[in-house]
């Protein structure tokens, strides 16, 4: 099919302030393409308010209507969406479910290490925002405060642009950090991470047993255990009579940040193809999703056990896309946030950014941070453990949990 590169991804910005921007993707299909595109959109801090798309398993056409910040870098977004699309040079012999013969090389991990002469509320968020703007992905964080008040931060990062080995890219990063940290910055250096990254990525093996059971359960929680669920109902139904060749899944739920990403990553992990999809979010935050699905063998989902498993997982992922708890840790308070990792190994975008933003808004100081991955209930989770200073917290633990949840879910 003859299609020019500039036509693979087309972005048409709204003409008036507040109008949505239309993103059209017209390219060869691949397994999990919808998930990958939604992940990029989420990474740029955009919300999908409407969507429509279809595929025959070889070629797809998708339209997203998105809203976001005036500062969105649309040209860069287009470039990143193009990179998520399969090669437009060849569309022959595309097998939707066949894994690629050559997997991409894992990105190099670098250690960004700096000392600050003092801590201040929002320091971590200011650093995180700079790194996000520079397209540096935070893989792990170690942060601690010395008795004399100095702060040491270790950020394990990867570079979307794959230029962090160069002196120019390192100097650019340090320059922007100096700009935001000012006189508080004592020293800053970047180097290729060594074996210590593997040890850091494993995280502490000691998660409170009660938290492990409560936070990571794959069963739908009871309303009395999670009060916000009563205000966030989710309906997932299956219809095999409507279409002769597809299973129709209808979803009614409340909107949240990354909702379409949560749906598509779940279907990607189940190896289920979306042949046609339609999504709409009302101004009141109510969402309607229609998905025409096929299994890997190109057939409907007719097994009742498979239907129930898929519906149950979709309900859980839409009710609790992130797990959150605020607990006592000795004299201090610990905030725990966890999100499931895709089978491809990628975590959810901007989680740490949103956590630090929420704590900055709550004027809540951070004493220690640890990010690691854990296998719990045969599933990999990315777990953020943030130790908050115990004495004199400006707000209650319930307010911290509520404030962080609202930012993570986009309900602020």
């Amino acid at each position: 099919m003859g299609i020019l590169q500039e036509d693979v991804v087309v972005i048409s910005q709204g003409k008036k302030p507040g109008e949505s921007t239309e993103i059209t993707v017209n390219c060869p299909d691949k397994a999990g393409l919808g998930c990958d595109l939604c992940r990029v959109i989420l990474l740029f801090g955009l919300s999908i308010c409407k969507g429509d798309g279809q595929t025959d398993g070889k070629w797809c056409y998708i339209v997203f209507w998105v809203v976001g910040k005036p500062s969105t870098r649309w040209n860069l977004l287009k470039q990143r969406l193009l990179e998520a699309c399969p090669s437009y040079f060849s569309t022959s012999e595309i097998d939707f479910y066949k894994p690629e013969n050559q997997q991409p090389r894992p990105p190099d991990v670098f250690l960004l290490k700096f000392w600050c002469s003092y801590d201040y509320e929002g320091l971590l968020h200011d650093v995180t925002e700079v790194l996000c703007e520079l397209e540096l992905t935070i893989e792990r964080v170690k942060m601690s405060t010395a008795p004399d008040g100095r702060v040491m931060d270790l950020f394990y990062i990867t570079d979307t642009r794959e230029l962090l080995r160069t002196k120019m890219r390192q100097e650019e990063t340090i320059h922007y950090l100096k700009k935001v940290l000012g006189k508080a910055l004592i020293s800053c250096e970047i180097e290729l991470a060594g074996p210590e990254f593997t040890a850091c990525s494993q995280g502490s093996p000691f998660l409170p047993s009660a938290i492990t059971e409560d936070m990571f359960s794959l069963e739908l929680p009871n309303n009395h255990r999670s009060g916000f669920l009563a205000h966030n109902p989710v309906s997932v139904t299956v219809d095999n009579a409507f279409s002769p060749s597809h299973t129709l899944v209808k979803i009614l739920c409340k909107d949240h940040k990354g909702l379409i990403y949560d749906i598509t990553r779940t279907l990607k992990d189940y190896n289920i193809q979306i042949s046609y999809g339609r999504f709409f979010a009302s101004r009141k935050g109510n969402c309607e999703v229609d998905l025409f699905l096929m299994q890997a063998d190109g057939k409907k989902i007719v097994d009742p056990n498979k239907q129930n498993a898929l519906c149950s997982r979709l309900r859980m992922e839409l009710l609790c896309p992130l797990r959150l708890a605020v607990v006592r840790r000795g004299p201090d308070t610990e905030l725990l946030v966890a999100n499931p990792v895709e089978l491809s190994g990628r975590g959810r975008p901007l989680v740490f950014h949103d956590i630090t933003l929420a704590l900055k808004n709550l004027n809540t100081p951070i004493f220690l941070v640890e990010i690691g991955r854990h296998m719990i209930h045969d599933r990999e989770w990315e777990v953020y453990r943030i130790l908050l200073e115990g004495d004199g917290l400006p707000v209650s633990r319930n307010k911290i949990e509520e404030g962080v949840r609202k930012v993570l879910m986009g309900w602020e």
Side-chain angles (χ1 to χ4, degrees):
M1 299 179 68
I3 183 169
L4 300 176
Q5 179 182 4
E6 56 266 27
D7 296 329
V8 174
V9 176
V10 177
I11 298 179
S12 304
Q13 296 183 48
K15 296 180 180 180
K16 299 179 181 178
E19 283 189 348
S20 60
T21 293
E22 181 180 305
I23 301 174
T24 303
V25 180
N26 186 16
C27 70
D29 204 355
K30 70 172 184 179
L33 176 61
C35 172
D36 296 344
L37 295 175
C38 290
R39 190 180 193 281
V40 173
I41 292 172
L42 178 59
L43 184 60
F44 275 72
L46 302 173
S47 297
I48 302 172
C49 58
K50 184 180 176 183
D52 204 324
Q54 58 185 341
T55 179
D56 59 3
K58 293 186 176 182
W59 196 272
C60 73
Y61 181 79
I62 306 174
V63 184
F64 299 106
W65 286 266
V66 302
V67 292
K69 303 174 292 186
S71 60
T72 300
R73 293 174 290 178
W74 297 107
N75 289 335
L76 185 59
L77 172 63
K78 179 175 181 176
Q79 181 180 339
R80 297 295 173 247
L81 289 170
L82 275 171
E83 292 169 358
C85 297
S87 171
Y88 52 88
F89 290 116
S90 173
T91 61
S92 61
E93 300 181 1
I94 296 177
D95 186 343
F96 189 93
Y97 297 100
K98 182 173 65 180
E100 298 179 9
N101 293 328
Q102 186 175 3
Q103 295 295 327
R105 181 180 63 86
D108 292 327
V109 179
F110 292 83
L111 171 60
L112 167 64
K113 179 169 60 176
F114 61 89
W115 280 91
C116 287
S117 56
Y118 58 90
D119 194 6
Y120 65 85
E121 291 175 2
L123 183 150
L124 267 183
H125 178 69
D126 292 347
V127 173
T128 301
E129 198 160 39
V130 168
L131 297 181
C132 289
E133 286 294 316
L134 292 171
E135 291 195 288
L136 297 171
T137 303
I138 300 170
E139 302 292 343
R140 304 288 176 269
V141 176
K142 284 281 189 179
M143 176 265 188
S144 59
T145 304
D148 61 2
R150 292 186 303 159
V151 178
M152 182 186 72
D153 287 297
L154 303 177
F155 282 78
Y156 292 90
I157 56 178
T158 56
D159 187 4
T160 302
R161 304 175 193 174
E162 298 184 348
L163 295 172
L164 204 52
R165 283 182 175 271
T166 66
K167 183 178 180 181
M168 180 179 296
R169 180 69 162 153
Q170 292 185 10
E171 289 178 345
E172 176 192 30
T173 302
I174 294 173
H175 167 75
Y176 279 100
L177 286 172
K178 286 181 176 177
K179 193 173 179 180
V180 72
L181 295 174
K183 295 181 180 180
L185 185 65
I186 299 174
S187 64
C188 182
E189 57 188 60
I190 301 173
E191 60 186 34
L192 195 64
E196 76 278 358
F197 171 71
T198 304
C200 175
S201 65
Q202 293 173 351
S204 170
F206 303 108
L207 287 175
S209 58
I211 292 299
T212 302
E213 179 67 25
D214 209 34
M215 284 186 67
F216 303 99
S217 173
L218 298 181
E219 300 297 325
L220 289 173
N222 297 323
N223 285 345
H224 72 273
R225 288 169 56 194
S226 299
F228 82 100
L229 296 180
H231 306 287
N232 185 28
V234 174
S235 169
V236 181
T237 57
V238 174
D239 182 352
N240 270 323
F242 188 84
S243 169
S245 55
H246 296 84
T247 294
L248 170 61
V249 172
K250 296 180 70 70
I251 300 173
L252 301 174
C253 63
K254 183 178 179 180
D255 196 9
H256 69 249
K257 184 185 297 185
L259 182 141
I260 301 301
Y261 167 72
D262 290 324
I263 294 173
T264 54
R265 69 171 169 80
T266 301
L267 296 175
K268 179 181 179 181
D269 286 351
Y270 270 81
N271 202 15
I272 292 177
Q273 177 189 356
I274 305 173
S275 296
Y276 173 75
R278 181 178 57 202
F279 164 77
F280 174 75
S282 71
R283 291 185 179 274
K284 294 182 178 180
N286 299 316
C287 294
E288 299 180 13
V289 186
D290 292 334
L291 302 170
F292 289 81
L293 309 178
M294 288 195 307
Q295 298 182 120
D297 58 7
K299 298 179 180 180
K300 289 184 176 183
I301 309 169
V302 295
D303 185 334
N305 292 328
K306 291 182 178 179
Q307 291 181 11
N308 291 335
L310 178 61
C311 289
S312 177
R313 178 56 63 86
L314 283 170
R315 288 190 196 100
M316 173 58 77
E317 298 298 346
L318 297 179
L319 281 169
C320 306
L322 300 112
R323 311 300 170 87
L324 178 64
V326 179
V327 298
R328 278 288 180 190
R329 186 172 168 184
D332 299 313
T333 298
E334 184 174 38
L335 168 66
L336 293 100
V337 178
N339 61 266
V341 176
E342 295 178 33
L343 290 182
S344 63
R346 297 187 303 185
R348 188 185 189 87
L350 298 182
V351 174
F352 190 63
H353 173 277
D354 289 347
I355 293 171
T356 55
L357 173 60
L359 294 176
K360 180 179 181 178
N361 291 342
L362 292 168
N363 297 316
T364 301
I366 298 172
F367 182 72
L368 182 67
V369 173
E370 180 183 289
I371 304 175
R373 292 193 173 187
H374 301 260
M375 290 298 298
I376 303 171
H377 296 314
D378 298 321
R379 193 177 187 190
E380 188 175 22
W381 296 81
E382 198 161 49
V383 180
Y384 300 77
R385 305 186 67 179
I386 296 97
L387 190 64
L388 309 174
E389 295 184 13
D391 296 330
L393 285 176
V395 292
S396 67
R397 286 193 290 170
N398 287 340
K399 287 292 186 182
I400 292 173
E401 181 173 344
E402 180 185 355
V404 173
R405 189 187 303 280
K406 283 184 176 180
V407 174
L408 286 170
M409 300 291 280
W411 296 339
E412 73 282 9

